[in-house]
Amino acid sequence: MTVRIRLARFGRKHLPFYRIFVADQKAPRDGKHIEQVGHYDPLPGNDGNKRLALNVDRIKYWLSVGAQPSQTVGRLLGQAGVIPKPVPPQSTKTQERGKKNPDKFKQR
């Protein structure tokens, strides 16, 4: 059983907030989970800051027993200083399109 630390979306349309869960990799996004270890509100509050609350002890425990954070949770944990910041991806498909055939994708 592969265990992941990932986000589950809650809230309503256009006003999301996320709970950070430890769940089996095959479980659905908002489905069954093992433990809730934090929450994340991506919308800035009155002070202009996004809110992130983490149970650092439990996150470190799950990482020590082999849980893998999702890409987004890894970025959040890196910003919070729980794990080293992940390296951003080198290139994406949109960046590679122009490199393969630059004449085809010229700006008009």
Side-chain angles (χ1 to χ4, degrees):
M1 174 169 100
T2 305
V3 178
R4 302 279 294 185
I5 302 173
R6 63 183 183 197
L7 299 175
R9 184 185 163 132
F10 289 86
R12 61 185 180 129
K13 187 191 282 188
H14 303 297
L15 292 173
F17 72 92
Y18 299 90
R19 291 184 184 161
I20 302 172
F21 283 133
V22 178
D24 181 28
Q25 182 177 3
K26 296 183 188 256
R29 179 191 73 183
D30 297 333
K32 187 177 176 183
H33 61 276
I34 300 170
E35 182 179 2
Q36 180 181 344
V37 293
H39 65 269
Y40 171 60
D41 187 0
L43 300 175
N46 293 335
D47 58 355
N49 294 325
K50 299 177 182 182
R51 290 174 189 80
L52 175 66
L54 301 171
N55 187 342
V56 177
D57 294 334
R58 294 304 295 167
I59 292 173
K60 286 185 178 180
Y61 165 76
W62 281 108
L63 292 172
S64 71
V65 295
Q68 295 293 315
S70 67
Q71 187 175 6
T72 305
V73 172
R75 181 179 52 82
L76 292 172
L77 294 177
Q79 290 173 352
V82 177
I83 62 174
K85 287 188 178 183
V87 178
Q90 293 296 324
S91 63
T92 61
K93 289 183 178 182
T94 57
Q95 292 172 343
E96 292 174 358
R97 280 193 331 192
K99 292 179 183 176
K100 290 179 183 175
N101 191 356
D103 298 332
K104 184 177 179 182
F105 296 104
K106 285 185 178 179
Q107 297 292 330
R108 295 181 183 182

